[in-house]
Amino acid sequence: MKLIAFLAATLMVLPAPQARKAKKPAKPPVTPPAVQQQVVSVETENTSLILLIDGKGQVYTRHYGARIGQPGLYLEEALGEEDYNTCDGLAYPATGGRFVGEPALQVKYADGTHNTELYFTGVSSEERGGCSVTTLSLKDYVTELSVKLVFEAYLQEDIIVEHTEILNGGKQPLELLNYASSSLYVQADDYLLTHFWGAWAADMQMEHELLGHDLKVIESRRGTQATQGNNPSFLLSLGTREFSETAGEVIAGALAWSGNFRLSFERDNGGRLNILAGISPFASAYPLAAGASFTTPDMIYTWSGEGAGKASRNLHRWARKYSVYDGGEVNPTLLNSWEGAYFNFTTETLLRMMDDAAGMGLEMFVLDDGWFGNKFPRNGDNAGLGDWEVNTSKLPEGIDFLASYAHSKGLKFGIWIEPEMVNPRSELARNHPEWVVQSHGREVYQGRNQWVLDLSNPAVEDFVFGIFDRTMQLAPGIDYIKWDCNRVIQSFGSTYLGAQQDRFFVEYCQGLYNVMRRIREKYPRVLVQCCSSGGGRVDYGSLRYCNEIWTSDNTDARSRAFIQYGTSLIYPACVMGSHVSTVPNHQTGNVTPLKFRFDMACAGRLGMELQPKNLSADERALADRCIRSYKQYRDLVFTGDLYRLASPYDGKYYGLMYVSEDKSRAVVFTYCLDYEPRNVGGKTFRLQGLDPSRTYRVTEQNVDKSCWWGNGKRFTGDFLMGGAFNPRLPQIYSSAVFVLEAE
Ligand code: GLA
C-alpha cells in the first residue's frame, strides 16, 4: 500500500516546555497542528491491522481481522464531533487528554504531572526476510516524550508482533507507570475469552469467560515462575458465546516475557474492547533518565477466520520458524533420572539406567537433581543449591565418566541445574548473602527451602552464566541442560539497586535474558529445556533461547490430556516435553495402562521418567515397540500442523492429529478419559487437514489387534474427514494411535 506523505517537520519544531513551574504564569497552551488524514495498513497474507491517523494526528486502530483489499476506504469514516470523546480506539492510549480508560502508557513527569497526548509524527516501513516492519512514530505535543509503535508482519504465518519503544527526549527524568507492549481495540457483539490458569502439577488449565463491561485482568506478580498461575496468552472468540476449533473469528495473543505480566480486557460503553498486553506495572514504576529509552517485550498476535484451530496453527508455524530456539528440529527421546531415582543414586544406579535407556532405543540420558554439593551435599531439596561442584562421595567417578559412558552407549547426555537459586544451607549463601533477593531488614522467606538470587545485579548475571558455563565444562559433549527454577519471588528487593527498587522485576527478567543470550553465543548447539517446577516459565520470551519446556511436573497421563491440550492452544508440540512415568502416578496416585501413558507422551517430545528395571518383560517389550514407532512418525509431531479433534473438557474423549505440510502423512492420537456406557459403535472423530481427494492408508500403532475396522485399509481424505473414522475406545484409558500415509 502506498502511504500518503506526511508533513512531519511541522510537528518536530513545536515548543515543548519540560516542567511547568507553579509560580510562573503558564505558557499559552499549545495545540497539535492539523495533519493530513491517512491510513496505515499492516498486512499479512490473510489479515490486516488498519490504523487511521485523523486530522489532529491521533492514531486509531480501526480493524484487526480479515485482510481488507482497499484499506484507504477507512478514510471515509467520520471520527466523531470535536466535543465528543474521540479517544476510544486509540492505537496506543496514554493517560492524559480526553482518554480516561486503562492506559497503554502512563507517564509521571518530573513536575508531577501525568498528562501525555501522543500525536503522529511519521511512519516508515522495511522488509526483513519473510517479515515487513512498520514503525509509527508518535510524540507528546508538550513534552519531549516520544513513542514508536513497531509492527512486524509475518506474511505467510498471519502473525503480527508489536512492541513499543519509549524515549524520554527531555532534560528531566520521568517515570513510566504503565508501559504496555500493545493496545488493540476490537469490536464485536460478544467476546469469549479463553485463557489459562495453573498451579503446580496443574499447568495450562483452560478457562472460558464471556467478557462483560468491567475490566478483566490476567496478571502475574510472581517475578519468577511467572506462568505457573496464569499464562501470558489468550484466545478471544469474536461475536460468539461458544468456543469453536473450526469456525468463527478468533484472535490469539501471547506476550514474549518471562517476568511479571499483565493482560487486560476493557469493554467500553460503546461495546469496543481494548486488549492491553505488557509488563505488569506492579511495583515497577520504571525510571527513565533524560535521553533514555525503554523497549517493551513483543506481543504476538494472530487472527483466524476459522476458529481456534487455525489460530493455534498460525502461532505454531510462526514459533517453529521464528521464535522457538531451533524450533521444528526433532529433539531426542530421553530417560530422565528424576522420578526413577530422585536424590537416591550412585554411579552404578545411573549406569544401569543408561543401559536400559539405550536398550529401549531412547536417545539421551538426563541426570536430574542431586549430583552436586560437597560441604552441603544435595541429597534432598534442603541443601546444596548454589554449590555446583560434583558431589565426590556420591559420584566419585565424576560427570565426565557418566557422560562418556552415555556416549559410548550411543546416548546423548544431559544434566540439571537450577542456577538462579540458593539454599541457605550452602557455601554460596554464606559467601554472598548480598546476592539473595531481599528487602532490607525483613525476613527472607524460603520456598522449597531456597532463596532466589538477584539477577538484577550484573555480578549475579556473571555468576549464573558461570554455572552454566562450568557445567558445560564438566564433560566434553554435554548435549542438554535442564534449566530449572523452583520458586517465586516474595518480599522482593535488591541490595544492588539501592533506592531504585522499582527496577527490580523488569531487570531481573532482563538479567535472565542477558545470561541466556550469552549462553547462546557460546553454546549455540546445546539443547536447553526450560523448566520451572514444570510449566512455570512457559512463554515466548524464554523459548527464544530454549529448545523445549518441561510441560508439567504432573506426569499422570490423564492430567496430561488437559495440560497438553491447554498448552497446544498457544505453543507448538515441538517444545512439549512429555514423559512416561510409573504407576501409581507419583503426583496424582492415578493408575493408567502403560500404553495409554505412551500414547499421551508420544503426542509431544517423548521421554521416560521411571526406573526401567522395574518394568516387567511385557511392559518393556511394549515400551520398546512404542519408542520404535514414535521415531517413525515423530517428525509430524515436531513439524506438522496440529488439528484438535476432541477436547478433554467437552466429554469423555480427547483426540488430536498432526498433518505434514504437504498433507501426505498424518498421525492421529485418540484417548478415552472416562467410561462410556454402551460404546459399541466406536467413537467418531472427524479428521481434519487431509487432502480430501487423496487416498491414505491407515495403520494403528503398537497393537496386534486394531480397535478400528478400517485398520490397514485405504480411504480417501474426504471419507476420513466425513465421520467414518470411529475407533473403539470402550474403557477408561483405552487409547489408539494411527499413522496415515497418502499413496
Ligand atoms: C522440579 C522439576 C522436576 C525436577 C525437580 C528436581 O520440580 O520440575 O522435574 O527436576 O525440580 O528437584
Side-chain angles (χ1 to χ4, degrees), residues 338 368-369 378 416 448 482 484 486 531 533-534 550 553:
W338 182 239
D368 211 281
D369 199 352
R378 180 77 171 166
W416 179 95
R448 208 196 187 204
K482 175 175 175 179
D484 212 337
N486 280 316
C531 173
S533 304
W550 178 223
D553 264 359

Side-chain angles (χ1 to χ4, degrees), residues 11-12 14 95 97 130 182 207 213 234 258 276 280 282 305 368 395 450 488 511 513 646 714-715:
L11 272 183
M12 295 303 207
L14 280 175
T95 292
S182 100
E207 211 157 62
H213 283 81
F234 67 91
S258 310
L276 290 176
S280 167
F282 166 66
D368 211 281
L395 300 173
Q450 65 200 52
V488 302
Y513 291 159
R714 294 166 177 76
F715 301 99

Side-chain angles (χ1 to χ4, degrees), residues 417-435:
I417 54 174
E418 194 183 357
E420 296 156 80
M421 301 287 162
V422 57
N423 282 126
R425 294 186 60 217
S426 68
E427 293 185 74
L428 178 66
R430 279 144 218 228
N431 294 339
H432 284 290
E434 78 285 7
W435 283 358

